Amino acid sequence: MKDPKDPKEPILVTRSSMPPLEEFIEEIRPIWDSHWLTNMGVYHERFRERLNQFLGVAHTELFVNGHMALEMAIQAMGLTGEVITTPFTFVSTTHAIVRNGLTPVFCDINPGDFTMDAAKLEGLITARTSAIIPVHVYGNLCDVEAIETIAEKHGLKVFYDAAHAFGERYHGTGVGAFGDASMFSFHATKVFHSIEGGAVCYHDEALGKELYKLKNFGILSEEVIDGVGANAKMNEFQAAMGICNLRHLEEEIAKRKQVFLHYMKRLCDVKGLRLPVHKPGLESNYAYFPVIFDESVFGENRDQVYDRLKSHGIVARKYFYPLTNACDCYKDRFSPESTPTAFQISRQVLTLPLYADLPLEDVDRICEIILDHKTEKAGVWQ
Ligand SMILES: *Cc1c(COP(=O)(O)O)cnc(C)c1O
C-alpha cells in the first residue's frame, strides 16, 4: 500500500494499474526487431491463448476496445428486431444495440444486485425478440440459470456484457463461459486492462469466424473479402500491456479486496446506507464499491454526498446515472419510467473510489467525510 494522499491531491474513483515499467519495456523489445505492430501478430495470438486459459473459456476474439467487441458480436450473431437488455449500464451497451439497427427493450433490475430481474423478462418477449443482452453490473453475476432457461424456452440468444466481471468465477466456472457469448472490456479504468481493448468469448466456432472477419474489413484471405466489416483490431502494444497486466492481476484483486473490506468495516453499521452484497459461490474481482443512499434514514441524499466529497477533492461517480433509457439522445424513444427500480437506484447510487493502491487511510478519510454531516447537524442542534 502507498502512503495516504496529501489531502490537497484529488482522489479519483479509479486509477489505472501499471505493470513495472522495466517489465513492459522488456515485453515490447521484440516488437522493435520484428517491425510487426498490428494485424494479429505474435502478441495478439499469445494474449488470446493466455486469456482462454485464464478465463476458462474455449475461444476468445480480441478487439480494439470493449464497445467495438459488443457492436461486432451483435452483428456477428445476426440478431434482428428487438433485444431485451438493461438500462442500468454504461451507455455503450445500449448504443451497441441501437447502432446495429435493433430495438432495445428495457427490463427492470433486481433492487439487491442491480442485474436484470429475470422474473420480469418473459413478459417482454415478443415475436420480434431475437436475444437477451444482460450486464453483470459491478461484477455482480446475473441470474444466469433463470435467464438461460427462459432463452432456451423461447429460442433466444444470450450475450452478456461482462465488462465488469473480468476474472470472476462462479462455482468454479469462468463467467465468460455463460450464454452464447460474453464481452469483456480492457479499458484503462477497468480491473484488468490493455490500455484500450476488448474481447468476446464464445462457444461456436462459426461465430468466431464472423467476429474475425468483421474486425478485419471482412477479409478472409488475400483475395477473398467475404463480409462488410470494419477495423476493430487490437494492436501488438495493447496485447503486450494485457500480457504484462495479466501477470499481476491476482495481486491487484487481492489488494482491491483489502480496500473493499475496509469500506465494509467502516460503513456496515451506518443506517440508511446499503452496501454491496456478493452472490454465494462467486469469486469476486472487487471491481466497484456502490453505495445506495436512503435519504430519509441517512439524512442526506446521493447528490449531497457526491458534492461534499467533491468539495474535499474526492471524486466518486454517479455510476449509473442517468439510466441509458433516460439519456438525452434517446428521450424521444425511451423512458426511465418503464424501469422504476432502475430509475430509483440510479438516483440513489454512488460508487466510491476503489483501486488496488488506494491507501486504507484514504478509505478512512472518505468514510469520515461521508459520515460527517451527522456531526455537523448535531452541532447545529446543540
Ligand atoms: C467499459 C464498459 C463498456 C465499454 O468498453 P470500452 O472498452 O470502454 O469500449 C461496455 N459496457 C460496460 C458495462 C462497461 O463498463
Side-chain angles (χ1 to χ4, degrees), residues 304-380:
Q304 289 169 311
V305 178
Y306 171 87
D307 289 343
R308 225 153 33 73
L309 283 169
K310 205 164 190 185
S311 73
H312 287 86
I314 292 157
V315 186
R317 283 281 306 273
K318 300 178 190 180
Y319 199 55
F320 294 103
Y321 175 86
L323 293 182
T324 68
N325 57 11
C327 290
D328 288 339
C329 57
Y330 294 129
K331 68 169 178 285
D332 299 332
R333 300 179 62 181
F334 315 123
S335 156
E337 267 98 34
S338 69
T339 51
T341 305
F343 195 28
Q344 177 74 12
I345 297 290
S346 77
R347 287 172 294 178
Q348 289 183 289
V349 69
L350 194 63
T351 56
L352 302 182
L354 172 54
Y355 44 86
D357 284 329
L358 181 64
L360 299 185
E361 292 85 348
D362 284 340
V363 174
D364 285 331
R365 190 159 66 88
I366 291 165
C367 294
E368 276 153 26
I369 294 167
I370 290 172
L371 301 177
D372 214 22
H373 74 291
K374 303 244 179 209
T375 45
E376 276 168 22
K377 263 194 194 146
V380 172

Side-chain angles (χ1 to χ4, degrees), residues 147-343:
I147 290 171
E148 288 171 32
T149 303
I150 292 167
E152 206 165 311
K153 183 173 155 198
H154 295 269
L156 306 176
K157 293 257 192 323
V158 181
F159 174 36
Y160 292 103
D161 179 334
H164 293 181
F166 188 85
E168 296 191 327
R169 287 177 177 271
Y170 181 53
H171 293 299
T173 303
V175 297
F178 292 109
D180 293 280
S182 295
M183 178 283 276
F184 290 106
S185 161
F186 307 148
H187 185 257
T189 55
K190 304 277 155 82
V191 168
F192 167 76
H193 75 88
S194 59
I195 308 170
E196 294 259 10
V200 176
C201 300
Y202 58 91
H203 300 287
D204 177 7
E205 285 185 53
L207 178 63
K209 212 166 165 188
E210 280 307 306
L211 289 171
Y212 181 89
K213 275 195 307 191
L214 285 175
K215 77 168 187 179
N216 189 32
F217 308 102
I219 298 173
L220 195 57
S221 66
E222 224 170 306
E223 296 184 8
V224 182
I225 306 349
D226 188 27
V228 187
N231 180 0
K233 302 185 298 286
M234 174 180 280
N235 70 49
E236 292 290 90
F237 290 85
Q238 290 176 282
M241 186 65 147
I243 289 167
C244 280
N245 278 334
L246 200 54
R247 286 190 201 114
H248 301 279
L249 186 67
E250 249 175 71
E251 188 190 328
E252 286 280 315
I253 291 177
K255 285 169 151 187
R256 282 177 167 273
K257 183 175 180 179
Q258 293 308 311
V259 175
F260 186 99
L261 293 178
H262 203 64
Y263 272 125
M264 289 301 272
K265 194 168 98 191
R266 291 299 310 259
L267 298 176
C268 66
D269 292 330
V270 181
K271 299 248 180 332
L273 301 191
R274 198 148 62 74
L275 306 183
V277 282
H278 285 147
K279 201 183 184 102
L282 183 74
E283 279 170 54
S284 173
N285 61 9
Y286 302 95
Y288 299 91
F289 199 88
V291 179
I292 307 294
F293 289 85
D294 180 347
E295 183 179 6
S296 64
V297 180
F298 183 67
E300 230 184 16
N301 65 31
R302 185 272 309 272
D303 291 342
Q304 289 169 311
V305 178
Y306 171 87
D307 289 343
R308 225 153 33 73
L309 283 169
K310 205 164 190 185
S311 73
H312 287 86
I314 292 157
V315 186
R317 283 281 306 273
K318 300 178 190 180
Y319 199 55
F320 294 103
Y321 175 86
L323 293 182
T324 68
N325 57 11
C327 290
D328 288 339
C329 57
Y330 294 129
K331 68 169 178 285
D332 299 332
R333 300 179 62 181
F334 315 123
S335 156
E337 267 98 34
S338 69
T339 51
T341 305
F343 195 28

